Amino acid sequence: MSGRARVTLFAALATLLTAWSLAPLVESAGWLLQAALLLAVQSAVGAGARRVPLARSLTVAAQLLVSLLVLAVLFAGKGESTGNGPLAYLVTDFGALFQRGVQDVSEFAIPAPQTDGIRLLLVTGVLLIGLLVDTLAVTLRTAAAAGLPLLALYSVAAGLSGGGEASWFSFLLAGCGYLMMLLAESRDRLAQWGRVFGAAPRDRVSAASGLGGGKDGRLTAPVRTGRRIGAMALGLALAVPAALPALGGGLLGAQGDGEASDGGVGGTISAVNPLVSLQSNLNAQDNRVVLKYRTDNPQQGEQYLRILALDEFNGIKWEASGRSLSDVPARLPNPPGLSGDVRQVSAEVQTNVSAADTYTQRYLPMPYPATSVDITGKWRFEPAGRTLVGDQLGKDKFQNVQGAQYSVRSLLLKPTAQQLRNAPEADPAIRAEYTKLPDNLPPVVTDTARQVTQGAKDNYTRAVKLQDYFAVNGGFRYNTKTASGTGPQAVARFLADKEGFCIHFAFSMAAMSRSLGIPARVAVGFTPGEKQSDGSVNVSMRDAHAWPELYFEGVGWTRFEPTPRAGINVPDYSRAQTPTAQPSVPAPLPSQGATQPSAAPSKTDDCPPELKKLGECGAAAPKQNASGGGGPSVSAVLGWAGLVLAVLVLPLLPLLWRSRLRARRLGAGEVSAAWRELGDAAWDVGVRPDEALSPRRAAERVVDLGRLDAEAAGAVHRVAGALERALYAPPGAAGSYAGLADDVLLARAGLLSGVGRLARLRALLLPRSAARLAWSASRRWSALADRASTLSARIRLRIPLRGRG
């Protein structure tokens, strides 16, 4: 195996070993076999193009073209057809499959099911990285730089998978693949400088030479030294992180029992101040799953898991007020403020939750409002916030949710905007308690609240305007790096900077609601999480969230969502309602000749601009195929037939080109053209032409290296003699003869029969003489550049130099 072929092999192997780090992202690793096969095809095309040889840009273009064609054939028919013919497939169907893959990635959690879209994304990504690695390591001969795309692939895989027990093994595979590629490339470079034939005395080998004295005075190869250095570096990279102390979890996934401090990693959520730890979780690299649950809630995407409510704003921070606890009743009391009309149309759903062993939260995450809880252990019930709190088990030890499995029944409330708009005044006791504001609240909070809600005639409209101000039209940006201050000055600073994360939005909306006389508090918990392929839902540390709850008499505490974050669901009752005019009398039926409207109205046309910015509008109804009928159209059949024909003909293009060129040369009847054809036929089987030799010497060389029999050798010598007569005979002497073309074909047949089957196939399908195309293109480009340069110089000479003299 040649040095460059070895580098090609190890470059593909390095890409494949690094791609193994993507395996934890999906449930099945079947895509990896497909990626390996396509990567082998791509590398083989590159190796063949370099042996021709083709220009570097043409080599990369050939690899890219073949990879796209193979991908098109592999994923044919997987996407939804929206057009006819291969062009429509490549532009629309292939793009639709990519888009579906991106949608699947956003919908499924890790490990995701191996859908066609996800498989397309994975295979395409590996092929793209493989093409970059092959280009850098083999085509451009810079194997060290090829580590950059490999590092990018491993970093993306490690970041998405979140590490794990097998992360060290993935790193080991990727590192070994990169080292093998470097060693293969360095060995190829050393081979070009020759070999070390003997040994030098030990005392004459300098340490700076890189060649250490081995046993019996033999030299130690630099390649062996490189292997040792690479193995040592890889071992240190694996051993050093294992020796470093590990960092614990944060607020919602901490280690230890009981309540920890608020300021940093390792604490659980507490009633004192959970907000600094919440920010740590949102910024954490370790996105561990802390809860898993199954629910029969048909609106799972809107089911938040609530931990506790912060209901006291004391001028320094938001916190949960101290309240008395009671035993957990078998049936929890009715939620405060819930009327019979809203309760009658609600449904009761069940959620079964399993907490991770590393999750030591003292407060029990539950859907709101819960009606009953089935859990073992010592728990206490706090009626005002409707939360369960772990009881004290001993000195500095409390009951927590670590490893617990529990079942919660809760109400699925479906209030309407009209019910919230017509809600009566809140209970005076609730209004007095949940509208308290500190004396040091900056006036900008109240002024902004009144300005935003100007013109609103009820508390519901004011609440929706406040929500839209933060989430839609106020110019606020979501940024978890913002300092997590919670006091009144922090709210004023947030209104001025317009940048923060969920606690800023929740605290600000709650404070502004209280300034308008609307009872408000802040809830802390989790967003709904990510649904898995088996129907379960995973809740991770990055799903930690805070949101405001506003009180409406007849409905109770109601969630609003002012945070403009991806994946956050705005409740239906808080969305802007588009009034539709109802006719007082039935409209007459349309005539039979009238144009029938579409089956479904366009949701995009009726969607307000505010909801479009939130991304709450559904996609337009898909257009029906105008062609009708169940079978493929004639144009589709012809298009697919053309695509298949193009894929089959593409490998035969060099063969067709050589056949056409051979027929043209031999058909001309000129000795010089026939001699060039004979030289190219010998070149195709490995006898490279030597322009410095005379025709007779060149013929002897072809006969010798081509191992021709007597008949074929005679044909070569006759063609060479004809060329000598044409070159050196007196004018008027005939150089050509009647059997010139037959002799060239006879010599070509002898050359092909003198090589093996693979070499013969290579000479037919990938002829070496095709390099003349690249040479011709290079000459034409140089001639065009020289002509342009000459023309530019003439133009400059003709332009008069003004201002001289």
Side-chain angles (χ1 to χ4, degrees):
M1 182 183 295
S2 64
R4 179 166 288 194
R6 187 181 296 108
V7 178
T8 303
L9 175 62
F10 281 105
L13 184 60
T15 304
L16 190 60
L17 292 178
T18 307
W20 175 264
S21 57
L22 295 171
L25 301 182
V26 291
E27 294 177 347
S28 173
W31 66 271
L32 198 58
L33 179 59
Q34 294 180 342
L37 294 176
L38 296 184
L39 194 62
V41 172
Q42 180 178 268
S43 300
V45 172
R50 285 185 288 267
R51 287 291 298 271
V52 168
L54 293 180
R56 293 176 176 178
S57 57
L58 294 179
T59 300
V60 177
Q63 291 179 278
L64 184 60
L65 177 61
V66 172
S67 300
L68 289 177
L69 290 176
V70 176
L71 279 175
V73 174
L74 181 62
F75 290 92
K78 302 295 184 181
E80 298 178 358
S81 180
T82 57
N84 297 322
L87 183 61
Y89 168 72
L90 292 175
V91 176
T92 59
D93 296 4
F94 212 53
L97 191 58
F98 262 97
Q99 188 175 3
R100 193 203 304 176
V102 175
Q103 183 179 359
D104 291 341
V105 169
S106 63
E107 289 181 356
F108 294 105
I110 298 172
Q114 185 178 309
T115 63
D116 292 330
I118 292 178
R119 185 160 55 94
L120 175 62
L121 292 179
L122 291 173
V123 174
T124 305
V126 172
L127 284 181
L128 181 59
I129 295 298
L131 180 60
L132 292 175
V133 172
D134 186 85
T135 301
L136 292 172
V138 189
T139 304
L140 301 179
R141 306 182 71 84
T142 54
L148 294 177
L150 293 177
L151 177 62
L153 178 62
Y154 177 79
S155 300
V156 170
L160 292 177
S161 61
E165 297 179 357
S167 60
W168 68 270
F169 184 68
S170 300
F171 175 77
L172 179 63
L173 289 180
C176 288
Y178 180 56
L179 288 178
M180 287 189 295
M181 181 181 63
L182 287 179
L183 291 174
E185 194 260 354
S186 62
R187 183 174 180 179
D188 180 42
R189 288 182 180 273
L190 286 175
Q192 297 177 11
W193 288 89
R195 297 182 57 188
V196 179
F197 289 99
R202 294 185 180 182
D203 55 353
R204 296 185 182 181
V205 178
S206 65
S209 65
L211 301 173
K215 294 181 179 180
D216 302 329
R218 295 180 181 179
L219 296 179
T220 303
V223 174
R224 186 179 303 172
T225 304
R227 286 199 297 263
R228 293 173 179 173
I229 294 175
M232 183 179 297
L234 190 59
L236 289 175
L238 290 172
V240 170
L244 294 178
L247 298 179
L251 153 71
L252 302 175
Q255 302 291 338
D257 295 328
E259 297 185 22
S261 62
D262 304 315
V265 179
T268 59
I269 187 168
S270 69
V272 180
N273 186 6
L275 305 169
V276 175
S277 298
L278 190 150
Q279 183 181 20
S280 300
N281 283 337
L282 293 177
N283 290 318
Q285 297 296 325
D286 182 11
N287 192 24
R288 291 175 294 170
V289 174
V290 293
L291 296 172
K292 291 186 177 182
Y293 69 88
R294 292 179 180 271
T295 181
D296 57 2
N297 188 343
Q299 300 177 359
Q300 179 271 327
E302 298 183 3
Q303 178 172 286
Y304 283 41
L305 296 181
R306 186 172 170 275
I307 296 177
L308 80 164
L310 309 178
D311 54 6
E312 184 175 327
F313 193 21
N314 57 16
I316 301 176
K317 58 189 175 182
W318 285 84
E319 62 181 6
S321 57
R323 299 180 185 272
S324 60
L325 304 177
S326 63
D327 293 335
V328 181
R331 184 78 179 179
L332 302 185
N334 290 331
L338 184 62
S339 66
D341 294 339
V342 178
R343 174 66 184 267
Q344 186 175 3
V345 298
S346 65
E348 191 167 280
V349 296
Q350 181 168 335
T351 304
N352 299 319
V353 188
S354 175
D357 293 334
T358 57
Y359 182 46
T360 56
Q361 173 57 249
R362 186 184 170 191
Y363 293 85
L364 190 67
M366 300 185 300
Y368 183 86
T371 57
S372 64
V373 184
D374 183 10
I375 187 173
T376 58
K378 296 184 64 175
W379 296 89
R380 305 280 284 173
F381 177 63
E382 194 274 290
R386 298 184 67 83
T387 59
L388 262 65
V389 186
D391 201 359
Q392 188 168 5
L393 301 177
K395 184 178 180 181
D396 297 330
K397 187 176 182 181
F398 295 85
Q399 177 72 55
N400 59 53
V401 75
Q402 181 179 16
Q405 295 184 0
Y406 56 97
S407 177
V408 181
R409 297 194 66 84
S410 58
L411 293 177
L412 177 58
L413 301 178
K414 301 177 181 179
T416 64
Q418 192 65 28
Q419 290 174 329
L420 295 171
R421 186 178 290 109
N422 297 334
E425 287 291 330
D427 181 87
I430 292 179
R431 180 183 174 88
E433 179 177 1
Y434 292 101
T435 57
K436 291 180 180 179
L437 289 172
D439 296 334
N440 59 346
L441 184 69
V444 66
V445 178
T446 303
D447 295 342
T448 304
R450 291 175 179 174
Q451 181 180 359
V452 170
T453 60
Q454 187 176 6
K457 298 181 180 179
D458 55 83
N459 286 342
Y460 166 75
T461 305
R462 296 186 184 97
V464 172
K465 285 192 172 186
L466 287 177
Q467 174 184 266
D468 293 346
Y469 171 67
F470 290 111
V472 180
N473 50 35
F476 288 85
R477 297 180 301 276
Y478 183 82
N479 183 7
T480 59
K481 304 299 183 181
T482 307
S484 58
T486 62
Q489 298 300 327
V491 175
R493 184 170 60 252
F494 168 68
L495 294 177
D497 297 340
K498 295 190 174 183
E499 188 173 54
F501 58 103
C502 57
I503 64 170
H504 299 95
F505 291 95
F507 288 168
S508 299
M509 181 171 174
M512 295 170 74
S513 298
R514 287 191 174 191
S515 69
L516 298 174
I518 307 174
R521 65 187 184 187
V522 176
V524 178
F526 296 99
T527 53
E530 294 182 336
K531 192 171 184 179
Q532 308 300 300
S533 58
D534 60 353
S536 64
V537 182
N538 285 355
V539 178
S540 63
M541 295 172 63
R542 292 184 188 174
D543 292 319
H545 190 48
W547 62 92
E549 290 182 342
L550 276 58
Y551 183 86
F552 292 89
E553 193 68 36
V555 179
W557 290 105
T558 307
R559 175 176 67 91
F560 284 80
E561 195 52 82
T563 304
R565 191 181 100 186
I568 295 295
N569 295 319
V570 177
D572 291 336
Y573 51 77
S574 67
R575 299 176 181 175
Q577 303 294 321
T578 303
T580 56
Q582 299 293 336
S584 57
V585 295
L589 293 175
S591 62
Q592 296 296 330
T595 302
Q596 296 296 328
S598 60
S602 173
K603 192 172 181 179
T604 305
D605 295 339
D606 296 336
C607 184
E610 293 80 5
L611 295 188
K612 288 183 179 179
K613 295 177 69 174
L614 278 175
E616 298 296 333
C617 297
K623 297 180 180 179
Q624 299 295 330
N625 196 342
S627 61
S633 62
V634 177
S635 59
V637 174
L638 294 177
W640 279 111
L643 178 61
V644 174
L645 183 62
V647 173
L648 295 177
V649 170
L650 183 63
L652 302 178
L653 288 180
L655 174 62
L656 298 177
W657 170 76
R658 283 290 290 123
S659 300
R660 181 174 178 273
L661 180 61
R662 185 181 308 111
R664 188 176 63 184
R665 285 173 172 175
L666 300 182
E670 297 180 0
V671 179
S672 59
W675 179 254
R676 283 196 299 271
E677 176 58 32
L678 180 58
D680 285 353
W683 189 7
D684 291 341
V685 297
V687 182
R688 191 175 182 87
D690 190 349
E691 303 293 342
L693 299 178
S694 65
R696 185 171 302 178
R697 288 289 301 152
E700 293 176 356
R701 182 170 178 270
V702 170
V703 171
D704 184 26
L705 297 180
R707 297 186 295 275
L708 298 181
D709 55 17
E711 187 178 2
V716 173
H717 285 298
R718 286 194 294 271
V719 177
L723 180 63
E724 287 181 338
R725 290 193 298 272
L727 292 176
Y728 308 121
S736 180
Y737 59 97
L740 179 63
D742 295 335
D743 282 343
V744 173
L745 295 178
L746 179 61
R748 178 175 177 271
L751 289 169
L752 291 176
S753 62
V755 296
R757 182 176 301 176
L758 293 179
R760 191 182 310 126
L761 187 63
R762 157 72 189 276
L764 294 175
L765 298 180
L766 293 173
R768 294 178 175 86
S769 59
R772 296 190 185 275
L773 290 175
W775 296 348
S776 177
S778 178
R779 287 194 299 267
R780 292 181 180 180
W781 175 259
S782 299
L784 182 62
D786 293 341
R787 188 178 303 173
S789 178
T790 303
L791 181 61
S792 176
R794 290 179 179 177
I795 293 176
R796 287 198 301 267
L797 290 175
R798 292 179 181 179
I799 297 177
L801 299 177
R802 298 180 181 179
R804 175 182 284 184

